Amino acid sequence: MAKIKRNRNGTRKDVIIAKAAKLFREKGFSATSMRDLAEHVGVEAASLYNHISSKAEILQEICFKTANNFMSHIEEVDANPNKTAIEKIQEILRFHIKQMLDNYEEVYVSDREWKHLTDPYLSNMQSQRRAYRQRIASVIEEGIRKGEIKPIDAPTAVLIMLHAVSGIESWHRSKKKIAGEVLEDNMVQILVDGLRKQA
Amino acid sequence: MAKIKRNRNGTRKDVIIAKAAKLFREKGFSATSMRDLAEHVGVEAASLYNHISSKAEILQEICFKTANNFMSHIEEVDANPNKTAIEKIQEILRFHIKQMLDNYEEVYVSDREWKHLTDPYLSNMQSQRRAYRQRIASVIEEGIRKGEIKPIDAPTAVLIMLHAVSGIESWHRSKKKIAGEVLEDNMVQILVDGLRKQA
DNA sequence: AAATCACGCTAACAATTGTTAGCATTTTAT
DNA sequence: ATAAAATGCTAACAATTGTTAGCGTGATTT
């Protein structure tokens, strides 16, 4: 009756999902109530259901949109046969970092809260994640074969890369932030060439 | 009346906290109900309150026990003036990895769920975490000054280290696990010397 | 043997949860 | 202008939440 919902460019559903991503990041999926979300959207809880069909659906949209985003990128990178493995890894890393800077809320939520998906979607997400990690591992193994990369355990390297990137969360919370590009360069350098000087 | 709670060596409270840590890791703090926990302990929900005073207290015990554990270790490491910065970093890393292997549930929960602490404890935990990261950053900066470590942004390096280690979660979930010591060596090598061969 | 304590149970509470029904109003299309 | 669609509201629902009260039984202490 009184309040109206704003929408810049995109549907009202998009507004709801964006606010939800923010809350899910701050408090977690389970600890965020629909009334909580409604309040931040500026509407009563019941009104949300004119735009979404359930709380679960919101999480699904966030998770799968993000997952597809990463999956298309790695396919694009991996399709190019003229890049070295190290170059591919660097591109993947930089893409992750940029995503973590630009779409922070959704990327973070999709990484931390996907466990709360329910079962058709949960299994789907699990295999997507597995497939994604496997693709990166293959790039690393290719690099090992060609002598560009140290002979380390590829799954372990993937694990380090992906989780290191998700640590950008604490960069966001930090008071004295360095610039995003500096962060990116630092992270890539540390992961590719390590902490130790000279070697 | 009928059921009895077991206890190997440690109080019944310890049993409850251990089971809680497992559930908090699997489903998150908010998504774990006291009835859920009670069922896994083999008792009715109300009976838990003979041993703990609230759900919040369980999380507090898990988080602060773990935090103190890490804090004492870094103090011990840092007190030794004969170690190089790289050696200190390696020791800290190896301690984190070992903790993640041996006390998986509690370390993981303490890292992911501390946000659900409430306010006297929440602020306390926030400053403890800040202080801990700051100590590691100081070690790195010392290493940079002495020329052992590349001149990178120390907070970024800390962020990478700590989050890389927390990725051991996916090692736990993995089917074909490499041995714990191999994992440890791989992780330390990658973080200290990077992925790239030779340099 | 008596008294105390530890610890389990059932029942119940107030609050909060996600969600639906039904109705009113505004916006869009005809 | 009128019909249709979109979107908001209030009220209510059943289920679940953390937690307390009160009672009983078995073990431990005196």
XYZ file of all heavy atoms in Angstrom, chain C residues 3-10 13 15-16 18 20-23 25-26 30, chain D residues 1-2 5-6 8-11 13 15-16 18 21-28:
799
model
P 17.304 -39.006 56.027
O 16.951 -38.086 57.124
O 16.237 -39.592 55.171
O 18.374 -38.265 55.094
C 19.667 -37.974 55.648
C 20.569 -37.425 54.551
O 20.990 -38.506 53.687
C 19.899 -36.375 53.663
O 20.789 -35.272 53.529
C 19.682 -37.103 52.332
C 20.824 -38.124 52.326
N 20.554 -39.346 51.586
C 19.389 -40.059 51.541
N 19.451 -41.131 50.794
C 20.750 -41.126 50.305
C 21.442 -42.004 49.452
N 20.898 -43.110 48.922
N 22.729 -41.703 49.166
C 23.265 -40.601 49.702
N 22.707 -39.706 50.530
C 21.440 -40.034 50.780
P 20.364 -34.009 52.672
O 20.793 -32.814 53.417
O 18.959 -34.160 52.248
O 21.315 -34.185 51.400
C 22.689 -34.558 51.614
C 23.381 -34.771 50.289
O 23.052 -36.081 49.754
C 23.008 -33.752 49.218
O 24.208 -33.289 48.633
C 22.151 -34.541 48.230
C 22.745 -35.954 48.378
N 21.817 -37.066 48.051
C 22.300 -38.138 47.344
O 23.451 -38.217 46.959
N 21.381 -39.137 47.104
C 20.053 -39.144 47.507
O 19.326 -40.093 47.236
C 19.613 -37.999 48.242
C 18.205 -37.926 48.707
C 20.503 -37.017 48.479
P 24.208 -31.995 47.767
O 25.340 -31.156 48.219
O 22.837 -31.445 47.674
O 24.605 -32.618 46.347
C 25.701 -33.535 46.272
C 25.559 -34.399 45.030
O 24.438 -35.284 45.175
C 25.320 -33.600 43.747
O 26.433 -33.812 42.891
C 24.010 -34.192 43.176
C 23.920 -35.542 43.888
N 22.553 -36.090 44.057
C 22.261 -37.364 43.560
O 23.137 -37.992 42.963
N 21.009 -37.877 43.731
C 20.083 -37.173 44.381
N 18.877 -37.719 44.539
C 20.363 -35.871 44.912
C 21.599 -35.376 44.728
P 26.541 -32.946 41.564
O 27.930 -32.475 41.413
O 25.405 -31.994 41.512
O 26.294 -34.091 40.482
C 26.869 -35.379 40.679
C 26.416 -36.317 39.581
O 25.097 -36.840 39.886
C 26.300 -35.662 38.216
O 26.731 -36.611 37.253
C 24.814 -35.337 38.095
C 24.183 -36.496 38.851
N 22.911 -36.194 39.524
C 22.563 -35.050 40.192
N 21.358 -35.082 40.702
C 20.878 -36.338 40.359
C 19.657 -36.989 40.605
N 18.656 -36.438 41.308
N 19.501 -38.228 40.115
C 20.505 -38.786 39.425
N 21.707 -38.272 39.124
C 21.824 -37.028 39.632
P 26.763 -36.238 35.718
O 27.731 -37.116 35.035
O 26.872 -34.772 35.622
O 25.307 -36.679 35.261
C 24.986 -38.061 35.211
C 23.557 -38.213 34.766
O 22.662 -37.681 35.773
C 23.228 -37.458 33.469
O 22.630 -38.357 32.574
C 22.251 -36.380 33.938
C 21.580 -37.112 35.089
N 20.813 -36.268 36.048
C 19.601 -36.756 36.539
O 19.213 -37.868 36.172
N 18.889 -35.996 37.409
C 19.349 -34.801 37.778
N 18.616 -34.099 38.642
C 20.588 -34.291 37.294
C 21.278 -35.052 36.433
P 22.762 -38.106 31.013
O 23.746 -39.080 30.541
O 22.960 -36.666 30.791
O 21.324 -38.483 30.441
C 20.828 -39.792 30.579
C 19.371 -39.808 30.987
O 19.217 -39.112 32.245
C 18.417 -39.050 30.072
O 17.943 -39.908 29.041
C 17.265 -38.672 31.001
C 17.866 -38.748 32.384
N 17.816 -37.469 33.091
C 18.770 -36.488 33.123
N 18.444 -35.458 33.858
C 17.185 -35.778 34.343
C 16.317 -35.039 35.192
O 16.499 -33.924 35.710
N 15.122 -35.726 35.432
C 14.822 -36.965 34.912
N 13.633 -37.457 35.245
N 15.627 -37.669 34.130
C 16.788 -37.011 33.880
P 16.974 -39.315 27.916
O 16.884 -40.351 26.862
O 17.457 -37.966 27.589
O 15.551 -39.177 28.628
C 14.870 -40.342 29.084
C 13.601 -39.936 29.804
O 13.947 -39.112 30.932
C 12.660 -39.089 28.962
O 11.700 -39.923 28.336
C 12.002 -38.161 29.968
C 12.932 -38.155 31.160
N 13.598 -36.852 31.420
C 12.966 -35.916 32.256
O 11.872 -36.196 32.744
N 13.579 -34.732 32.502
C 14.766 -34.474 31.948
N 15.339 -33.296 32.229
C 15.427 -35.403 31.096
C 14.811 -36.566 30.848
P 10.822 -39.349 27.172
O 10.281 -40.517 26.443
O 11.670 -38.360 26.484
O 9.617 -38.553 27.861
C 8.890 -39.141 28.932
C 7.898 -38.129 29.486
O 8.614 -37.065 30.172
C 7.040 -37.435 28.421
O 5.704 -37.323 28.901
C 7.708 -36.074 28.250
C 8.237 -35.804 29.648
N 9.443 -34.940 29.698
C 9.446 -33.823 30.501
O 8.493 -33.494 31.182
N 10.611 -33.100 30.478
C 11.760 -33.377 29.757
O 12.734 -32.655 29.826
C 11.685 -34.568 28.932
C 12.871 -34.956 28.113
C 10.557 -35.278 28.940
P 1.839 -24.655 28.002
O 0.865 -24.073 28.935
O 1.419 -25.230 26.715
O 2.967 -23.569 27.720
C 3.691 -23.005 28.830
C 4.786 -22.112 28.287
O 5.965 -22.910 28.028
C 4.473 -21.480 26.950
O 3.581 -20.359 27.064
C 5.869 -21.144 26.449
C 6.704 -22.326 26.965
N 6.965 -23.382 25.927
C 8.235 -23.490 25.392
O 9.112 -22.711 25.794
N 8.492 -24.431 24.455
C 7.506 -25.236 24.040
N 7.807 -26.150 23.114
C 6.196 -25.143 24.565
C 5.966 -24.199 25.499
P 7.163 -14.158 23.686
O 7.593 -12.959 24.427
O 5.789 -14.265 23.129
O 8.209 -14.414 22.509
C 9.480 -14.962 22.834
C 10.165 -15.474 21.583
O 9.694 -16.808 21.276
C 9.900 -14.630 20.333
O 11.153 -14.244 19.806
C 9.124 -15.557 19.388
C 9.487 -16.941 19.897
N 8.433 -17.937 19.733
C 7.142 -17.844 20.161
N 6.413 -18.899 19.881
C 7.286 -19.743 19.222
C 7.115 -21.023 18.662
N 5.964 -21.699 18.676
N 8.192 -21.585 18.064
C 9.350 -20.906 18.049
N 9.625 -19.698 18.537
C 8.533 -19.164 19.121
P 11.246 -13.326 18.540
O 12.489 -12.534 18.683
O 9.928 -12.686 18.328
O 11.485 -14.370 17.358
C 12.432 -15.405 17.526
C 12.343 -16.362 16.373
O 11.196 -17.227 16.565
C 12.128 -15.694 15.012
O 13.190 -16.074 14.153
C 10.775 -16.212 14.536
C 10.650 -17.511 15.309
N 9.260 -17.981 15.528
C 8.920 -19.251 15.140
O 9.713 -20.019 14.623
N 7.616 -19.607 15.386
C 6.642 -18.815 15.971
O 5.514 -19.248 16.130
C 7.063 -17.502 16.354
C 6.094 -16.565 16.985
C 8.340 -17.149 16.118
P 13.038 -18.155 7.439
O 14.371 -18.174 6.818
O 12.372 -16.868 7.710
O 12.050 -19.062 6.583
C 12.376 -20.417 6.334
C 11.216 -21.122 5.661
O 10.059 -21.028 6.518
C 10.807 -20.509 4.325
O 10.476 -21.535 3.406
C 9.591 -19.641 4.681
C 8.982 -20.411 5.844
N 8.285 -19.526 6.791
C 8.760 -18.370 7.339
N 7.921 -17.783 8.144
C 6.815 -18.609 8.134
C 5.570 -18.487 8.821
O 5.196 -17.598 9.590
N 4.724 -19.550 8.534
C 5.031 -20.591 7.695
N 4.093 -21.515 7.538
N 6.182 -20.716 7.048
C 7.029 -19.690 7.314
P 4.049 -21.696 -0.470
O 3.979 -22.942 -1.250
O 4.644 -20.487 -1.055
O 2.590 -21.335 0.046
C 1.948 -22.202 0.966
C 0.595 -21.629 1.340
O 0.778 -20.534 2.263
C -0.209 -21.082 0.166
O -1.500 -21.691 0.182
C -0.268 -19.574 0.407
C -0.075 -19.478 1.915
N 0.592 -18.233 2.396
C 0.008 -17.500 3.395
O -1.041 -17.802 3.918
N 0.713 -16.379 3.772
C 1.916 -15.943 3.255
O 2.451 -14.930 3.668
C 2.471 -16.764 2.206
C 3.770 -16.369 1.580
C 1.797 -17.856 1.830
P -2.568 -21.412 -0.979
O -3.260 -22.698 -1.233
O -1.930 -20.684 -2.095
O -3.565 -20.418 -0.228
C -3.816 -20.590 1.165
C -4.928 -19.642 1.611
O -4.336 -18.452 2.182
C -5.849 -19.165 0.486
O -7.181 -19.054 0.994
C -5.273 -17.809 0.106
C -4.719 -17.307 1.434
N -3.534 -16.462 1.319
C -2.461 -16.629 0.479
N -1.529 -15.721 0.604
C -2.015 -14.890 1.594
C -1.493 -13.723 2.193
N -0.311 -13.194 1.855
N -2.228 -13.122 3.150
C -3.400 -13.656 3.491
N -3.997 -14.757 3.002
C -3.247 -15.324 2.048
P -8.387 -18.653 -0.027
O -9.608 -19.323 0.453
O -7.907 -18.828 -1.410
O -8.547 -17.084 0.259
C -8.569 -16.619 1.603
C -8.677 -15.113 1.600
O -7.352 -14.530 1.500
C -9.475 -14.544 0.412
O -10.314 -13.495 0.886
C -8.390 -14.041 -0.526
C -7.342 -13.570 0.474
N -5.990 -13.471 -0.046
C -5.377 -14.268 -0.991
N -4.139 -13.914 -1.249
C -3.919 -12.807 -0.428
C -2.774 -12.002 -0.278
O -1.691 -12.096 -0.841
N -2.988 -10.994 0.660
C -4.156 -10.793 1.350
N -4.177 -9.784 2.196
N -5.232 -11.551 1.217
C -5.050 -12.532 0.312
P -11.378 -12.754 -0.159
O -12.703 -12.778 0.494
O -11.183 -13.270 -1.538
O -10.821 -11.256 -0.102
C -10.452 -10.706 1.159
C -9.600 -9.472 0.954
O -8.283 -9.847 0.494
C -10.147 -8.500 -0.090
O -10.197 -7.199 0.453
C -9.144 -8.598 -1.239
C -7.863 -8.926 -0.477
N -6.813 -9.558 -1.309
C -5.538 -8.983 -1.342
O -5.314 -7.977 -0.671
N -4.574 -9.562 -2.105
C -4.857 -10.661 -2.817
N -3.875 -11.190 -3.551
C -6.142 -11.255 -2.798
C -7.088 -10.687 -2.042
P -7.892 -0.062 -1.386
O -7.886 0.970 -0.326
O -9.075 -0.269 -2.260
O -6.630 0.195 -2.326
C -5.327 0.135 -1.766
C -4.308 -0.003 -2.876
O -4.481 -1.274 -3.533
C -4.409 1.056 -3.976
O -3.229 1.813 -3.948
C -4.544 0.259 -5.274
C -4.057 -1.117 -4.869
N -4.598 -2.279 -5.621
C -3.763 -2.982 -6.443
O -2.590 -2.702 -6.604
N -4.345 -4.059 -7.075
C -5.655 -4.475 -6.975
O -6.062 -5.445 -7.586
C -6.486 -3.686 -6.101
C -7.923 -4.058 -5.912
C -5.925 -2.636 -5.470
P -3.160 3.234 -4.694
O -2.544 4.166 -3.737
O -4.467 3.530 -5.316
O -2.103 2.967 -5.863
C -0.863 2.347 -5.538
C -0.366 1.561 -6.728
O -1.336 0.563 -7.115
C -0.105 2.389 -7.983
O 1.266 2.303 -8.250
C -0.966 1.737 -9.060
C -1.165 0.346 -8.499
N -2.348 -0.434 -8.955
C -2.147 -1.525 -9.743
O -1.050 -1.889 -10.123
N -3.292 -2.210 -10.090
C -4.591 -1.901 -9.715
O -5.529 -2.588 -10.085
C -4.732 -0.739 -8.882
C -6.088 -0.319 -8.420
C -3.616 -0.073 -8.538
P -1.590 -5.652 -25.125
O -1.569 -7.070 -25.535
O -0.733 -4.659 -25.802
O -3.081 -5.135 -25.155
C -4.105 -5.910 -24.520
C -5.451 -5.227 -24.705
O -5.436 -3.967 -23.993
C -5.801 -4.906 -26.156
O -7.036 -5.542 -26.495
C -5.934 -3.376 -26.205
C -6.120 -3.002 -24.762
N -5.526 -1.680 -24.347
C -6.318 -0.773 -23.657
O -7.473 -0.990 -23.386
N -5.674 0.388 -23.311
C -4.352 0.741 -23.564
O -3.889 1.817 -23.201
C -3.593 -0.249 -24.281
C -2.161 0.029 -24.609
C -4.210 -1.415 -24.635
P -11.207 8.611 -19.106
O -12.247 9.608 -19.185
O -10.368 8.418 -17.926
O -11.742 7.195 -19.590
C -13.094 7.045 -19.967
C -13.355 5.590 -20.190
O -12.211 4.972 -20.851
C -13.590 4.766 -18.936
O -14.536 3.748 -19.259
C -12.205 4.218 -18.617
C -11.627 3.983 -20.004
N -10.170 4.171 -20.099
C -9.423 5.174 -19.559
N -8.153 5.106 -19.838
C -8.053 3.957 -20.627
C -6.974 3.323 -21.258
N -5.715 3.779 -21.192
N -7.231 2.201 -21.969
C -8.481 1.771 -22.041
N -9.592 2.278 -21.499
C -9.298 3.379 -20.796
P -15.157 2.846 -18.216
O -16.587 2.626 -18.517
O -14.728 3.381 -16.907
O -14.375 1.491 -18.527
C -14.243 1.063 -19.886
C -13.545 -0.291 -19.905
O -12.107 -0.109 -20.041
C -13.728 -1.154 -18.660
O -13.783 -2.508 -19.041
C -12.480 -0.841 -17.851
C -11.433 -0.718 -18.957
N -10.257 0.123 -18.627
C -9.044 -0.202 -19.202
O -8.877 -1.126 -19.951
N -8.013 0.645 -18.854
C -8.056 1.742 -18.007
O -7.078 2.418 -17.780
C -9.358 2.007 -17.441
C -9.546 3.168 -16.504
C -10.393 1.192 -17.765
P -4.217 -11.432 -17.781
O -3.791 -12.212 -18.966
O -5.132 -12.009 -16.773
O -2.910 -10.900 -17.041
C -2.092 -9.917 -17.710
C -1.253 -9.166 -16.691
O -2.086 -8.283 -15.910
C -0.515 -10.059 -15.678
O 0.865 -9.786 -15.796
C -1.094 -9.649 -14.323
C -1.575 -8.237 -14.602
N -2.662 -7.765 -13.758
C -3.864 -8.370 -13.499
N -4.657 -7.680 -12.707
C -3.922 -6.544 -12.422
C -4.200 -5.408 -11.631
N -5.340 -5.230 -10.961
N -3.249 -4.448 -11.559
C -2.110 -4.619 -12.235
N -1.728 -5.641 -13.015
C -2.693 -6.570 -13.068
P 1.909 -10.572 -14.987
O 3.059 -10.833 -15.874
O 1.217 -11.673 -14.300
O 2.348 -9.479 -13.907
C 2.477 -8.116 -14.324
C 2.794 -7.218 -13.121
O 1.577 -6.845 -12.436
C 3.692 -7.868 -12.063
O 4.625 -6.870 -11.654
C 2.713 -8.239 -10.943
C 1.683 -7.132 -11.059
N 0.336 -7.470 -10.601
C -0.363 -8.620 -10.820
N -1.582 -8.619 -10.299
C -1.670 -7.380 -9.698
C -2.707 -6.759 -8.967
N -3.888 -7.334 -8.726
N -2.481 -5.508 -8.517
C -1.295 -4.928 -8.769
N -0.256 -5.417 -9.439
C -0.514 -6.660 -9.877
P 6.315 -5.235 -4.516
O 7.346 -4.197 -4.612
O 6.699 -6.658 -4.585
O 5.459 -5.023 -3.186
C 5.034 -3.711 -2.840
C 3.724 -3.756 -2.081
O 2.755 -4.495 -2.844
C 3.758 -4.486 -0.745
O 4.122 -3.579 0.303
C 2.318 -4.953 -0.560
C 1.734 -4.917 -1.960
N 1.250 -6.220 -2.406
C 1.914 -7.141 -3.168
N 1.209 -8.210 -3.432
C -0.004 -7.972 -2.790
C -1.178 -8.781 -2.720
O -1.361 -9.901 -3.225
N -2.173 -8.166 -1.970
C -2.066 -6.937 -1.369
N -3.126 -6.509 -0.690
N -0.984 -6.167 -1.439
C 0.005 -6.753 -2.161
P 4.341 -4.125 1.766
O 4.980 -3.037 2.523
O 5.007 -5.426 1.638
O 2.873 -4.385 2.363
C 1.979 -3.294 2.507
C 0.619 -3.805 2.966
O 0.084 -4.673 1.948
C 0.690 -4.662 4.226
O 0.417 -3.842 5.342
C -0.402 -5.702 4.030
C -0.685 -5.700 2.545
N -0.336 -6.974 1.848
C -1.331 -7.943 1.691
O -2.459 -7.729 2.155
N -1.029 -9.097 1.053
C 0.199 -9.292 0.566
N 0.442 -10.437 -0.070
C 1.228 -8.314 0.727
C 0.922 -7.188 1.371
P 0.691 -4.433 6.800
O 0.763 -3.265 7.712
O 1.843 -5.331 6.678
O -0.585 -5.321 7.173
C -1.897 -4.815 6.967
C -2.914 -5.910 7.300
O -2.840 -6.955 6.283
C -2.675 -6.601 8.643
O -3.931 -6.830 9.271
C -1.990 -7.916 8.250
C -2.625 -8.216 6.894
N -1.786 -9.005 5.974
C -2.308 -10.142 5.405
O -3.431 -10.548 5.614
N -1.439 -10.799 4.543
C -0.155 -10.431 4.227
O 0.516 -11.095 3.448
C 0.331 -9.233 4.870
C 1.709 -8.753 4.591
C -0.494 -8.583 5.710
P -3.962 -7.315 10.820
O -5.048 -6.568 11.475
O -2.578 -7.246 11.337
O -4.375 -8.853 10.693
C -4.955 -9.310 9.481
C -5.172 -10.806 9.527
O -4.297 -11.431 8.546
C -4.877 -11.507 10.850
O -5.904 -12.450 11.106
C -3.511 -12.157 10.631
C -3.539 -12.457 9.133
N -2.217 -12.460 8.501
C -1.169 -11.616 8.758
N -0.101 -11.849 8.025
C -0.476 -12.916 7.236
C 0.210 -13.646 6.244
N 1.459 -13.384 5.867
N -0.457 -14.664 5.638
C -1.715 -14.936 6.024
N -2.468 -14.309 6.945
C -1.771 -13.310 7.518
P -5.117 -19.646 12.425
O -6.431 -20.320 12.467
O -4.516 -19.055 13.636
O -4.074 -20.661 11.773
C -4.343 -21.223 10.488
C -3.133 -22.025 10.040
O -2.189 -21.148 9.387
C -2.335 -22.628 11.182
O -2.944 -23.800 11.717
C -0.994 -22.857 10.506
C -0.870 -21.648 9.567
N -0.003 -20.550 10.112
C 1.252 -20.342 9.544
O 1.605 -21.059 8.614
N 2.053 -19.357 10.034
C 1.629 -18.612 11.055
N 2.449 -17.645 11.485
C 0.355 -18.806 11.654
C -0.410 -19.784 11.163
P 2.382 -29.690 11.251
O 2.228 -30.881 10.402
O 1.824 -29.640 12.625
O 3.929 -29.319 11.319
C 4.531 -28.719 10.187
C 5.870 -28.114 10.568
O 5.671 -26.813 11.155
C 6.651 -28.936 11.599
O 7.930 -29.225 11.040
C 6.745 -28.036 12.822
C 6.519 -26.643 12.248
N 5.862 -25.711 13.166
C 4.668 -25.910 13.805
N 4.311 -24.896 14.568
C 5.333 -23.974 14.410
C 5.549 -22.686 14.946
N 4.704 -22.085 15.790
N 6.669 -22.037 14.579
C 7.512 -22.636 13.735
N 7.422 -23.838 13.157
C 6.299 -24.459 13.536
P 8.955 -30.118 11.797
O 9.749 -30.825 10.767
O 8.258 -30.818 12.893
O 9.913 -29.024 12.464
C 10.368 -27.940 11.676
C 11.089 -26.945 12.563
O 10.119 -26.157 13.288
C 11.973 -27.601 13.637
O 13.299 -27.127 13.469
C 11.361 -27.142 14.958
C 10.635 -25.874 14.552
N 9.490 -25.502 15.425
C 9.457 -24.248 15.969
O 10.330 -23.419 15.774
N 8.369 -23.983 16.757
C 7.325 -24.850 17.050
O 6.403 -24.494 17.774
C 7.425 -26.156 16.450
C 6.349 -27.163 16.702
C 8.483 -26.412 15.673
P 17.968 -24.889 18.208
O 19.330 -24.759 17.659
O 17.398 -26.224 18.465
O 17.863 -24.033 19.550
C 18.172 -22.649 19.517
C 17.823 -22.003 20.845
O 16.412 -22.187 21.100
C 18.558 -22.615 22.047
O 18.938 -21.573 22.946
C 17.513 -23.551 22.661
C 16.200 -22.849 22.326
N 15.096 -23.803 22.163
C 15.102 -24.946 21.418
N 13.975 -25.606 21.463
C 13.168 -24.848 22.296
C 11.826 -25.061 22.725
O 11.075 -25.992 22.451
N 11.391 -24.042 23.571
C 12.146 -22.955 23.945
N 11.560 -22.079 24.759
N 13.395 -22.749 23.545
C 13.851 -23.730 22.732
P 13.175 -22.401 35.391
O 12.799 -21.170 36.115
O 14.472 -23.042 35.672
O 12.015 -23.487 35.570
C 10.823 -23.372 34.787
C 9.800 -24.404 35.259
O 9.876 -25.565 34.392
C 10.012 -24.908 36.675
O 8.748 -25.128 37.290
C 10.792 -26.196 36.466
C 10.220 -26.711 35.150
N 11.164 -27.485 34.340
C 12.485 -27.227 34.140
N 13.090 -28.092 33.360
C 12.077 -28.978 33.006
C 12.071 -30.124 32.195
N 13.143 -30.587 31.559
N 10.896 -30.784 32.050
C 9.819 -30.320 32.690
N 9.706 -29.245 33.481
C 10.888 -28.614 33.599
P 8.698 -25.579 38.864
O 7.489 -24.968 39.441
O 10.036 -25.346 39.455
O 8.458 -27.160 38.761
C 7.525 -27.671 37.828
C 7.576 -29.188 37.848
O 8.599 -29.656 36.914
C 7.949 -29.766 39.213
O 7.119 -30.892 39.478
C 9.413 -30.159 39.039
C 9.411 -30.592 37.581
N 10.726 -30.617 36.947
C 11.796 -29.771 37.165
N 12.839 -30.062 36.444
C 12.448 -31.165 35.693
C 13.160 -31.920 34.740
O 14.307 -31.758 34.335
N 12.376 -32.964 34.230
C 11.082 -33.227 34.596
N 10.498 -34.265 34.003
N 10.407 -32.521 35.489
C 11.140 -31.513 35.998
P 7.195 -31.645 40.934
O 5.854 -31.551 41.540
O 8.388 -31.173 41.681
O 7.449 -33.147 40.487
C 6.882 -33.612 39.266
C 7.644 -34.824 38.776
O 8.855 -34.417 38.099
C 8.091 -35.764 39.909
O 7.646 -37.073 39.646
C 9.612 -35.663 39.900
C 9.897 -35.298 38.449
N 11.199 -34.595 38.284
C 12.142 -35.122 37.404
O 11.887 -36.149 36.769
N 13.343 -34.482 37.248
C 13.599 -33.375 37.946
N 14.776 -32.782 37.759
C 12.643 -32.816 38.847
C 11.474 -33.452 38.990
P 7.684 -38.200 40.788
O 6.384 -38.904 40.786
O 8.206 -37.571 42.017
O 8.771 -39.188 40.201
C 8.627 -39.710 38.889
C 9.916 -40.404 38.490
O 10.954 -39.413 38.309
C 10.424 -41.396 39.533
O 10.727 -42.615 38.888
C 11.681 -40.745 40.096
C 12.135 -39.853 38.943
N 12.864 -38.662 39.349
C 12.468 -37.698 40.251
N 13.333 -36.734 40.399
C 14.372 -37.074 39.541
C 15.582 -36.403 39.280
O 16.010 -35.342 39.759
N 16.351 -37.094 38.334
C 15.980 -38.280 37.728
N 16.840 -38.791 36.865
N 14.849 -38.918 37.965
C 14.094 -38.251 38.880
P 10.878 -43.945 39.759
O 9.948 -44.946 39.180
O 10.829 -43.604 41.195
O 12.360 -44.376 39.387
C 12.802 -44.257 38.038
C 14.308 -44.204 38.015
O 14.774 -42.891 38.415
C 14.985 -45.199 38.969
O 15.953 -45.908 38.245
C 15.621 -44.303 40.033
C 15.918 -43.060 39.227
N 16.089 -41.796 39.995
C 17.239 -41.055 39.811
O 18.117 -41.373 39.054
N 17.293 -39.901 40.568
C 16.351 -39.428 41.469
O 16.512 -38.387 42.082
C 15.182 -40.260 41.610
C 14.095 -39.846 42.560
C 15.108 -41.388 40.883
P 16.344 -47.390 38.746
O 16.054 -48.320 37.633
O 15.780 -47.603 40.102
O 17.933 -47.259 38.869
C 18.675 -46.775 37.759
C 19.884 -45.995 38.261
O 19.427 -44.872 39.036
C 20.803 -46.799 39.191
O 22.059 -46.953 38.536
C 20.924 -45.964 40.468
C 20.347 -44.613 40.058
N 19.593 -43.923 41.104
C 18.432 -44.345 41.710
N 17.973 -43.487 42.595
C 18.891 -42.443 42.569
C 18.919 -41.237 43.299
O 18.121 -40.830 44.155
N 20.029 -40.469 42.955
C 20.983 -40.805 42.021
N 21.969 -39.935 41.839
N 20.966 -41.938 41.330
C 19.895 -42.699 41.647
P 23.190 -47.785 39.254
O 23.973 -48.424 38.170
O 22.605 -48.594 40.352
O 24.068 -46.624 39.884
C 24.663 -45.662 39.016
C 25.335 -44.560 39.827
O 24.354 -43.918 40.668
C 26.445 -45.059 40.769
O 27.582 -44.230 40.570
C 25.849 -44.904 42.166
C 24.873 -43.756 41.964
N 23.718 -43.761 42.862
C 22.791 -44.758 43.020
N 21.836 -44.467 43.884
C 22.162 -43.197 44.321
C 21.547 -42.334 45.239
N 20.423 -42.634 45.910
N 22.124 -41.132 45.450
C 23.250 -40.821 44.777
N 23.914 -41.551 43.881
C 23.311 -42.743 43.704
P 28.970 -44.615 41.233
O 30.029 -44.245 40.258
O 28.878 -45.974 41.797
O 29.043 -43.579 42.438
C 28.885 -42.186 42.166
C 28.796 -41.413 43.467
O 27.526 -41.677 44.107
C 29.878 -41.767 44.491
O 30.574 -40.569 44.811
C 29.106 -42.333 45.693
C 27.725 -41.713 45.507
N 26.565 -42.484 46.048
C 25.720 -41.868 46.951
O 25.873 -40.729 47.346
N 24.655 -42.643 47.371
C 24.376 -43.947 46.988
O 23.408 -44.529 47.433
C 25.298 -44.531 46.054
C 25.094 -45.942 45.577
C 26.354 -43.779 45.625
